[in-house]
C-alpha cells in the first residue's frame, strides 16, 4: 500500500479504466473530511469524454495529461447549492462575498487532499493542476458553472504508467515555528535550501536557462510578476462575475 511518504505526481497513465464504482467509493470516503459548518461547500465535475477533455486542455496550458488521463476531476468551491437550499427553506442566504469564497475554497481543497490520499491507497496516480485558477473563466464556460461556483482545483486521474522519482522537500525546521513565527536570516535560507539547490537536475535547470540561481528560475521564468499580476486581475474579475466579489473591488 502506498503512503503519503511515497506519493508521486503521475503524468502518464495506462489505458486501464477507472471504474465508476471505485470513483464513487473514493468520493464517499473523501466526503468524510472536515468541512465548515458541515455544509460541504464543494462540488466535483467528472470529465471522461475525450472531446470535453480536449476543450478543457487549453485552460491548463495544454498539458498533455489533461487529454491522456482517463478521468479529469474539477473540484469547485460551491455556495450555490447551499444558497439554493436556504431559499427553498425560507432562509435568506448571504454568501455572495469574499469570505464565503474563502470558506468554500478551503472546503474544496480539504476534500481534494483527502481524495488524493485515498487515491494513493488504491494505487491510483494523479496530478494536481495549479493552473485551475489561472484562466478560470474558460473552465466555468466549458463546465457551465453557475454563479457562486468557482473552480479551485483539478486532478488528472488514472492508473500509473510511470514511477518518477520523489520530489524534494524542505526540512521540517524550515516551516514549523514554535509558539510564534520566527523570521528567516540569510544563514537560515542557506541551510534550508542547500539540498534543493544542489540537486543535479536543479543545477542543470539553472544552467540551461542561463540563470545564476534556482530562485531566478521561479521569479524570472516560472512565476513572473507580470504573469502573476495579469492572472490576479483575471481571478478577481472572475470572482466578480461568479458573485463572490462586488464590482467596486479594485
Amino acid at each position: 500500500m502506498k503512503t503519503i511518504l511515497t506519493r508521486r505526481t503521475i503524468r502518464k497513465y495506462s489505458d486501464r479504466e477507472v471504474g465508476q464504482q471505485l470513483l464513487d467509493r473514493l468520493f464517499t470516503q473523501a466526503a468524510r473530511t472536515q468541512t465548515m459548518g458541515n455544509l460541504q461547500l464543494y462540488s466535483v465535475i467528472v470529465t471522461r469524454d475525450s472531446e470535453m477533455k480536449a476543450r478543457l486542455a487549453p485552460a491548463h496550458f495544454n498539458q498533455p495529461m489533461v487529454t491522456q488521463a482517463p478521468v479529469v476531476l474539477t473540484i469547485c468551491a460551491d455556495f450555490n447549492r447551499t444558497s439554493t437550499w436556504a431559499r427553498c427553506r425560507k432562509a435568506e442566504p448571504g454568501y455572495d462575498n469574499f469570505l464565503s469564497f474563502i470558506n468554500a475554497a478551503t472546503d474544496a481543497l480539504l476534500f481534494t487532499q483527502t481524495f488524493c490520499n485515498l487515491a494513493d491507497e488504491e494505487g491510483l496516480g494523479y496530478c494536481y493542476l495549479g493552473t485551475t485558477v489561472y484562466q478560470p473563466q474558460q473552465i466555468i464556460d466549458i463546465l457551465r458553472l453557475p454563479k457562486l461556483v468557482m473552480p479551485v482545483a483539478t486532478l488528472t486521474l488514472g492508473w500509473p504508467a510511470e514511477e518518477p522519482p520523489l520530489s524534494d522537500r524542505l526540512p521540517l525546521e524550515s516551516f514549523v515555528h514554535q509558539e510564534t513565527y520566527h523570521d528567516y536570516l540569510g544563514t537560515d535560507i542557506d541551510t534550508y535550501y542547500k539540498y534543493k539547490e544542489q540537486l543535479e537536475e536543479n543545477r542543470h535547470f539553472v544552467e540551461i536557462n542561463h540563470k545564476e540561481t534556482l530562485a531566478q528560475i521561479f521569479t524570472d521564468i516560472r512565476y513572473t510578476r507580470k504573469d502573476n499580476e495579469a492572472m490576479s486581475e483575471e481571478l478577481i474579475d472572475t470572482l466578480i462575475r461568479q458573485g463572490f466579489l462586488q464590482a467596486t473591488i479594485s
Side-chain angles (χ1 to χ4, degrees), residues 170-210:
L170 293 172
L172 191 67
E173 58 270 22
S174 71
F175 59 86
V176 175
H177 303 253
Q178 303 295 337
E179 308 301 342
T180 61
Y181 189 100
H182 297 275
D183 209 351
Y184 300 95
L185 301 174
T187 52
D188 298 324
I189 296 300
D190 291 342
T191 299
Y192 299 151
Y193 284 84
K194 181 177 180 179
Y195 177 76
K196 179 186 289 287
E197 292 174 335
Q198 290 188 347
L199 285 172
E200 182 59 35
E201 59 265 35
N202 287 337
R203 292 164 63 92
H204 179 65
F205 203 27
V206 171
E207 180 182 357
I208 64 175
N209 283 283
H210 308 290

Side-chain angles (χ1 to χ4, degrees), residues 20-244:
Q20 191 60 48
Q21 186 176 5
L22 171 59
L23 201 54
D24 288 345
R25 175 163 59 81
L26 294 178
F27 287 151
T28 299
Q29 292 173 348
R32 298 305 306 171
T33 198
Q34 55 269 48
T35 171
M36 195 201 79
N38 199 27
L39 290 174
Q40 296 181 250
L41 303 171
Y42 50 80
S43 284
V44 184
I45 292 84
V46 180
T47 303
R48 293 181 182 271
D49 181 76
S50 57
E51 182 178 339
M52 287 292 289
K53 286 187 284 188
R55 292 179 63 194
L56 284 171
H60 299 289
F61 300 97
N62 290 307
Q63 295 178 85
M65 56 275 195
V66 177
T67 54
Q68 294 172 2
V71 179
V72 176
L73 304 177
T74 305
I75 301 94
C76 302
D78 185 349
F79 244 121
N80 173 62
R81 183 183 62 251
T82 301
S83 296
T84 301
W85 170 62
R87 287 189 292 269
C88 287
R89 297 296 180 266
K90 301 179 181 180
E92 184 59 36
Y95 309 122
D96 53 346
N97 46 67
F98 187 60
L99 177 63
S100 296
F101 167 69
I102 291 296
N103 286 331
T106 301
D107 266 21
L109 293 173
L110 286 169
F111 175 89
T112 301
Q113 184 57 65
T114 300
F115 179 90
C116 288
N117 292 344
L118 294 166
D120 275 325
E121 292 177 0
E122 292 290 338
L124 286 162
Y126 56 86
C127 180
Y128 176 90
L129 303 183
T131 47
T132 307
V133 294
Y134 290 177
Q135 303 177 92
Q137 191 61 51
Q138 293 185 44
I139 299 172
I140 289 167
D141 293 341
I142 293 166
L143 300 181
R144 302 178 184 177
L145 305 182
K147 283 193 172 184
L148 297 186
V149 179
M150 183 76 177
V152 294
T154 300
L155 299 174
T156 58
L157 183 72
W159 300 101
E162 63 172 345
E163 190 174 353
L166 294 175
S167 300
D168 64 276
R169 289 293 185 265
L170 293 172
L172 191 67
E173 58 270 22
S174 71
F175 59 86
V176 175
H177 303 253
Q178 303 295 337
E179 308 301 342
T180 61
Y181 189 100
H182 297 275
D183 209 351
Y184 300 95
L185 301 174
T187 52
D188 298 324
I189 296 300
D190 291 342
T191 299
Y192 299 151
Y193 284 84
K194 181 177 180 179
Y195 177 76
K196 179 186 289 287
E197 292 174 335
Q198 290 188 347
L199 285 172
E200 182 59 35
E201 59 265 35
N202 287 337
R203 292 164 63 92
H204 179 65
F205 203 27
V206 171
E207 180 182 357
I208 64 175
N209 283 283
H210 308 290
K211 294 296 178 180
E212 184 179 355
T213 69
L214 181 63
Q216 291 172 349
I217 297 295
F218 290 87
T219 60
D220 300 353
I221 299 176
R222 295 191 65 183
Y223 308 112
T224 68
R225 176 182 293 276
K226 179 181 177 181
D227 288 345
N228 288 336
E229 290 178 349
M231 288 185 289
S232 292
E233 288 183 11
E234 179 168 354
L235 180 59
I236 290 171
D237 288 343
T238 305
L239 286 171
I240 291 171
R241 287 191 293 269
Q242 291 306 100
F244 283 114

